[in-house]
Every structure is written in structure tokens, then in C-alpha cells.
Amino acid sequence: MALINKIREKSGIAVTVIAISLILFMVGGDLLGPNSLLGGSNNQVVGEIAGKDIDIKDFQSRVDAFRQNYEAQSGRSLSENELASLRDQAWNQFIVDIAYKKQFDKLGLSVTDQELFDMVQGNHISPSIQQAFSDPTTGRFDKNAVINYLKNLKTLPAEQMKSWANFEKSLREERTRAKYENMLRLSTYIPKAQSEKEYMAQNTKANVKYLYVPYFSIVDTTIKVTDSQLETYLSEHREEYKGTDTRSIEYVTFPVQPAKDDSSALYTEIKELARGLATAKNDSSFASMNTDIPLPINMSLANMSDQLKEAVKTFVPGGVYGPYREGNTYYIYKYGGTRTDTVSSARASHILIRAENQSDSAKAAAKVKAEGILAQIRAGANFEALAATSSADPGSAQRGGDLGYFQNNGAMVKPFEEAVFSATAPGLINRLIESQFGYHIIKVTATKSNTLYHIAAIGKTIEASQATRDEAYRKADEFVNSVKNKEEFDEAVKKNKALVLATANRIPETATNVNAIQNGREIVRWAFKDDSKINSVSPVFETEDQYVVAVLTGKSEADKVTIDDFRDELTTKVRNQIKSEQITAKLKGATGDLETIAKKYGAGALVESATDISLATGFLTSAGFDPIALGKAFGLKPGQKTDVFTGENGVFIMELINKTDAPKIADFTQYKTQLTQSLESRSSYLVNEAIRENAKIKDKRAKFF
């Protein structure tokens, strides 16, 4: 598109040059692409696994085989997302063939022909075979269907025979891998000493009292953190921070917006449709035949746009309303009244606090944080502001936590849905709601309603004419030709008030979107090209409804970690270190009981008690699960206090009131079983991680796709 538009503008160029340009346009992907011979690189390696290079031709050949098999089974072509998924499958297959097979061969693991026969048509049928040959109506597996298929296999087309051979190959690999993982899983061993230690951790109980000064008691803005301090912390904790390859850009867009002539012609058309809709005997059929945007005839509030939600309040049955414009689409509606639905709709906002991992301590810390935020909201803090700064749900956080309307049909996880749809009035739900995603703080903004609105809707989208698209490209091309670096880019943006500068930070190499730009893959590939330097300006990129020009502003490299890669996280760590030093210095040498010490310290010091706690499940009211504090407390004798020390989220002085040792027992089988099952459940994941790490995998697919 871009090259053709340029040719139109340069109409005075000789016919010969135009012909050459068209030839280059048609074959440019082969001759001038980023991995072509003339494009400056003949590197055709798509990745490296265990020291073995994976050639792009071999990789593409496997993807093509997967695609042919998929399309033969589904009877349709793949979407771009499905093709990307097949590329992932092909890549993982190479990892199995190379990295895993090395491990299998060392141990002499294999699947014999007799074993394969048993898996396909014997007594131990593979789940994959059962799925492939189950009756689609009853779901029942039919072994005779497998046998009949194999009897006729040689009469089938070559593609199907090849597909079956690949299927049997995957069955062998699947069984070999299962043998390997089972062997490692069954080699799990928990010694008696470890079982006894687990028993003691669960059953030794203590009552403690403690002084706790949380880090958040000191306002962050009072602590200044320098880059030098961040560098020192990073160098001391280098192993904790793994680098990734990312790029950061700034960009401007040149929207392809329909011109006045484009919209006026459509406006005339939709007014004619409004007259037809008003007199149509079957308004539903008339609407479905004439709309560009299919909409359900019976809508709940959850199905409606914000504009329609407001407008429908004024509708009278039988009336035709509109046109209403939403973006580049005009809508008209014929209203037919309401009825009651079996499904209800409601609207809510939430703040999600997610645990850093699945450990008990991480979950406890997340709960403490969520309870703190809930307490702030109860005290009058702004829900929307806290959602924007604290919620782990980025989509809703940008809207102050708003999730819009949704139905009680499983659209939300069960605990969340039950909490919202049981609310009888709008407002804050005065408790935390826990789901598999974390802890939710919920504000119901519209209670449940089961009203359905009968609305026949016609939506007509304004399409930009070719002249309009050409004009948008001309502006983008003119802009990019006027700038050579970031300084000139910034200056040009300042001069052109119509341009809005946007930023996209830390884009991974595999990204397909750039912020809200849904098909930004070419922008990402440009940013990662070897010859794209910091401050360099991109060519014009064409997306669905706009042209984009970007400037490269930053790079992070997997093998070169800098403080900018983890600035926020490092700043929090260093700031807490400084807070710890300040709190410790103020508490150092304090005497008396904990209440006296807290009083001397002043605001921020808490004195609390915890009863009947254990090392395994000890939970401190304000501090949450803090293994450092628990370990210190259980190491004391009754009546003793620790010195001042730093815990997970603040500074402590622990005092042991009393401790009851676990009763002596002879059989620790129960605890051995618990530890064994826990380790076995993680064995498959740990095996995968170990093999992949040992293979030193370098995935370069993003340079090609």
C-alpha cells in the first residue's frame, strides 16, 4: 500500500523506474526482507536448542505439516492466532526431539512396536486415540472404528497416511515422556528426619507478643533513593534479577478518519433505513438484513453500549430512535418493550490484589495488603484512585476498577459472581472476596436486573474512501521524511498540534500488539532489528485504521541487566532498607516492656499478640505470615525478647510468652506422605524447567514471524 501510494505521488518518474519498483514490491519480501540475502543477513537460524541450530526451512516444514493436518481435520483455513499457536507447537516439538530425547536416550527409554499396538488397539488405549475415535453424539469410544480405519489406511490419500504416521510418532513421544516423568516422580524420597521436622513445625504451638513497625508507617516521599544505591543493591542481588530482551518506543499516529463527504453520504443512507425500519412488519429481519454490526434483538444492560444504556431510558415501545454515532458507526434503534429474562445482569468495580506466588506466605501477605486497602476505602479513600494505583487487573485498573455490566452465567469466577449478585444495594462490599486470582475488593455500581429490552438495531460503519486513506498516508510520509532522529522527531511533534505522542515501554520481542494497536507486529520487528539504533526513526507502518511512525527510545538486553529494567522494584527494596535502618536506629537500646518501647518510638509502632501459632501456619495480625519473625520467636525461651530485627515487611521485637512442644509420636507416615505428594505434584513442572534451562534454548522466531 505504502509503495503504491508513493508511486501515485511521483507520477513524473519514468516508466522504467516504476516497473522496477513494482518488481521490487512483488519480490521484496524474498530479496530485501530482514533475513534475506540482499537485506543484509543470510542468517536462516530460527533458534538454538542444546547447541543445535534450528533452520527456518526445517521449522517451517514442521509448521506446514501441522497446518495441513489441522486444516484436513477442521475443513477450514487457520486464523492468524491459530497459526501462531501451531508455531508454538512446532517449536515445543523441536525441544522434545532434541533436549528431551537426550535425556531419554541416556536412560534407554523407548516405546516398542508392541507397546504402540497396545496403545492404539490393545488393552491400554491412549487417551489421544480414545478422543480421536469417540462417537461425537454419545462420546463413547469405539475400538472397532480404530481397527477399521487401520485396515483401510493404505487406500487413503497420501496426506492422510502421512498424517497418521505423524500421529503415531506423537503417541510414542507422549508415552516416552510419561515414562521419564513417572520415573523421576517415583524416585521422590523423604527421609524420616524431614518428616519429623514437618511434624514439629505443624504441631509445636506458641503464644507470642511482638512490637511491629511496618514500612508503610513511613511515607515513601520522605525517603530519597539515588541511582548509586540502586546500582549497589542490584550488584549484591544480581541472581534475583533476570534480564529480558525488550524495546521501548514513542510513536505518533495518523488516523484514517472518514472525511465529511464519507460520513454525509452514510448519514443520508441511514435516515432512509430509519424510515424502512419504522414501517417494517418484521423489524428483526429488516435490521439483520441491513446492519453492518450484528446485535442481539433482545439485549440486557450487559449487552448495551454506555450510550444506549442512557438512551433506552427514554424509549417508548414502537418508536425508532437515532442515529447515534459511536466511533465510525451510526446506529438506529426500534424499541419493542421489555420482558423478564432467566439471566440477570449487574455492574461492579473491583481492586484485585494478587499473591506473588502460590506459597502460604505470599497469599497471607496479599491478604494483609488487601485488608489495608479495604480499610482505607471504609475510612473514605477514593475507590477509583486506589484501583488505578493498586489493582493487579490492568484492564479494569485503567477505568478505576470498572468491569462494566456482566451476567450471572459464569462470566465471572463463582465467588465474585455470588458476592455481586447477592448485593441488594449499590455500594462497597464490606469484606474481601477470595478467588483463584487473588483477593477482590468489590464495589457494586448497579445491582442485579433481569430485564431484557427488545431492540431491533441497525449499525452502519463509515468507510474511509481511498482518497481519504491516501491523504492520511501523505501526512505520515511527509512527517517521516522531515525527521532523522529523536530530537527532530520531538520537535516536529511539538510543532504539529494535531499529533499526540504515545509511549510503549518494555515491549517483548514476541509481542503482536503495541498498546492499543492490535496488529503492531511489524513495528515490534522493526524495533528489534539489528540496525534499529536508539533514537532512530521508523518508516511508516500501516495498521487497520491508521499509519504509525515510531522512534526507538530504549533497549533492555537479557544478558545485560540495568537498574532501569527493574527501577520500581529496586526502588521499593532500597527504600525499605533505608526505612529499616531508620526504624532500627530509633528502637536500638530501648528498654522496658513492649508497650513502653512502642510509646517511646511514637506513631507507627504496634504491639500485638498471637496465640496458638506454629512455624508452619503462624499468622501475625498486622504483619501477616513472616517466616523471619516466626523463626526468631520459636528460638526464644519463655519470657525472653529478641533484639530489634528486620522482617519481611517491617521491623520487629518478638517476645515468647510460652511454647508447647509437639507430643512425641513414633509414626511420621502422615507427614512423610504430605511432603511426598507435594513434591510429586511439582515434579513434572520442575523436570520441564530443568531440561529447558540445561538446553540453553535461544528462541529467535520473533525475527521471522
Side-chain angles (χ1 to χ4, degrees), residues 303-561:
N303 303 129
M304 296 183 189
S305 66
D306 289 341
Q307 186 181 56
L308 180 54
K309 284 189 198 77
E310 290 301 313
V312 76
K313 298 174 183 177
T314 65
F315 288 0
V316 175
V320 175
Y321 300 90
Y324 298 94
R325 182 170 179 174
E326 294 181 15
N328 287 335
T329 303
Y330 284 105
Y331 290 95
I332 51 173
Y333 306 106
K334 185 175 182 180
Y335 182 54
T338 63
R339 68 178 178 84
T340 301
D341 192 13
T342 55
V343 177
S344 297
S345 299
R347 184 172 185 173
S349 299
H350 82 143
I351 299 171
L352 173 63
I353 304 301
R354 196 193 307 270
E356 291 184 1
N357 53 59
Q358 292 303 305
S359 67
D360 290 340
S361 58
K363 291 179 181 177
K367 186 176 183 180
V368 169
K369 181 179 179 182
E371 287 173 336
I373 293 172
L374 180 59
Q376 292 180 56
I377 296 169
R378 287 183 189 137
N382 184 274
F383 185 101
E384 288 71 23
L386 285 172
T389 57
S390 304
S391 182
D393 178 3
S396 66
Q398 295 176 3
R399 303 185 299 273
D402 183 30
L403 295 165
Y405 279 89
F406 50 88
Q407 297 178 321
N408 60 339
N409 57 0
M412 299 295 178
V413 290
K414 190 174 181 180
F416 188 98
E417 187 176 277
E418 289 177 346
V420 172
F421 283 92
S422 63
T424 57
L428 181 70
I429 294 177
N430 202 21
R431 60 189 172 89
L432 297 181
I433 304 300
E434 184 180 2
S435 77
Q436 64 261 45
F437 297 107
Y439 294 97
H440 305 264
I441 302 162
I442 304 173
K443 182 171 77 170
V444 178
T445 49
T447 52
K448 64 180 180 181
S449 166
N450 59 353
T451 301
L452 275 182
Y453 299 80
H454 182 89
I455 300 174
I458 296 177
K460 301 296 287 186
T461 300
I462 311 167
E463 296 289 346
S465 64
Q466 188 58 50
T468 301
R469 299 193 70 87
D470 289 347
E471 177 59 18
Y473 175 78
R474 186 194 64 76
K475 291 178 180 177
D477 190 52
E478 185 178 81
F479 175 87
V480 81
N481 286 325
S482 69
V483 297
K484 295 182 178 62
N485 51 49
K486 187 177 187 301
E487 184 179 353
E488 293 180 1
F489 181 96
D490 292 341
E491 190 61 32
V493 172
K494 285 180 183 178
K495 289 180 180 178
N496 191 337
K497 302 298 182 185
L499 295 177
V500 177
L501 186 65
T503 300
N505 290 322
R506 297 182 64 80
I507 307 169
E509 191 171 10
T510 55
T512 55
N513 301 339
V514 177
N515 290 345
I517 301 173
Q518 295 296 310
N519 54 342
R521 185 73 196 127
E522 289 305 311
I523 302 173
V524 177
R525 289 185 64 188
W526 165 80
F528 277 90
K529 284 175 61 178
D530 292 338
D531 56 355
S532 293
K533 308 299 182 185
I534 298 292
N535 296 330
S536 63
V537 180
S538 76
V540 177
F541 295 107
E542 182 179 8
T543 64
E544 290 177 358
D545 55 0
Q546 60 192 349
Y547 294 97
V548 180
V549 179
V551 59
L552 188 62
T553 57
K555 295 183 179 183
S556 74
E557 309 292 345
D559 56 354
K560 186 180 179 182
V561 180

Side-chain angles (χ1 to χ4, degrees), residues 133-152:
F133 289 90
S134 291
D135 187 305
T137 304
T138 64
R140 184 175 300 171
F141 169 67
D142 183 2
K143 188 192 290 189
N144 290 325
V146 183
I147 296 171
N148 291 332
Y149 179 85
L150 294 176
K151 284 180 178 178
N152 297 315

Side-chain angles (χ1 to χ4, degrees), residues 182-427:
N182 285 335
M183 184 184 67
L184 291 177
R185 179 175 59 81
L186 295 173
S187 68
T188 301
Y189 174 69
I190 302 296
K192 180 182 176 182
Q194 190 175 349
S195 306
E196 185 175 357
K197 184 178 179 181
E198 180 65 18
Y199 166 73
M200 298 296 291
Q202 290 187 32
N203 293 282
T204 299
K205 304 293 184 178
N207 296 330
V208 301
K209 193 174 182 180
Y210 56 95
L211 181 149
Y212 173 56
V213 184
Y215 294 140
F216 63 72
S217 64
I218 299 177
V219 179
D220 286 353
T221 54
T222 63
I223 307 296
K224 304 301 179 187
V225 178
T226 65
D227 281 2
S228 175
Q229 290 171 310
L230 298 180
E231 292 281 6
T232 300
Y233 187 91
L234 180 59
S235 66
E236 293 172 351
H237 301 82
R238 185 72 63 179
E239 290 302 312
E240 299 174 26
Y241 296 93
K242 304 299 182 183
T244 54
D245 293 323
T246 69
R247 298 293 183 266
S248 296
I249 64 171
E250 292 179 355
Y251 62 92
V252 291
T253 60
F254 297 82
V256 181
Q257 295 178 333
K260 186 176 180 180
D261 290 344
D262 300 329
S263 58
S264 61
L266 182 67
Y267 190 74
T268 301
E269 179 188 355
I270 205 164
K271 284 198 295 185
E272 288 294 323
L273 288 171
R275 284 191 280 270
L277 183 60
T279 58
K281 291 182 179 179
N282 188 326
D283 52 15
S284 302
S285 297
F286 184 87
S288 63
M289 289 171 57
N290 289 283
T291 188
D292 293 341
I293 313 292
L295 291 171
I297 293 299
N298 294 303
M299 298 189 202
S300 68
L301 292 173
N303 303 129
M304 296 183 189
S305 66
D306 289 341
Q307 186 181 56
L308 180 54
K309 284 189 198 77
E310 290 301 313
V312 76
K313 298 174 183 177
T314 65
F315 288 0
V316 175
V320 175
Y321 300 90
Y324 298 94
R325 182 170 179 174
E326 294 181 15
N328 287 335
T329 303
Y330 284 105
Y331 290 95
I332 51 173
Y333 306 106
K334 185 175 182 180
Y335 182 54
T338 63
R339 68 178 178 84
T340 301
D341 192 13
T342 55
V343 177
S344 297
S345 299
R347 184 172 185 173
S349 299
H350 82 143
I351 299 171
L352 173 63
I353 304 301
R354 196 193 307 270
E356 291 184 1
N357 53 59
Q358 292 303 305
S359 67
D360 290 340
S361 58
K363 291 179 181 177
K367 186 176 183 180
V368 169
K369 181 179 179 182
E371 287 173 336
I373 293 172
L374 180 59
Q376 292 180 56
I377 296 169
R378 287 183 189 137
N382 184 274
F383 185 101
E384 288 71 23
L386 285 172
T389 57
S390 304
S391 182
D393 178 3
S396 66
Q398 295 176 3
R399 303 185 299 273
D402 183 30
L403 295 165
Y405 279 89
F406 50 88
Q407 297 178 321
N408 60 339
N409 57 0
M412 299 295 178
V413 290
K414 190 174 181 180
F416 188 98
E417 187 176 277
E418 289 177 346
V420 172
F421 283 92
S422 63
T424 57

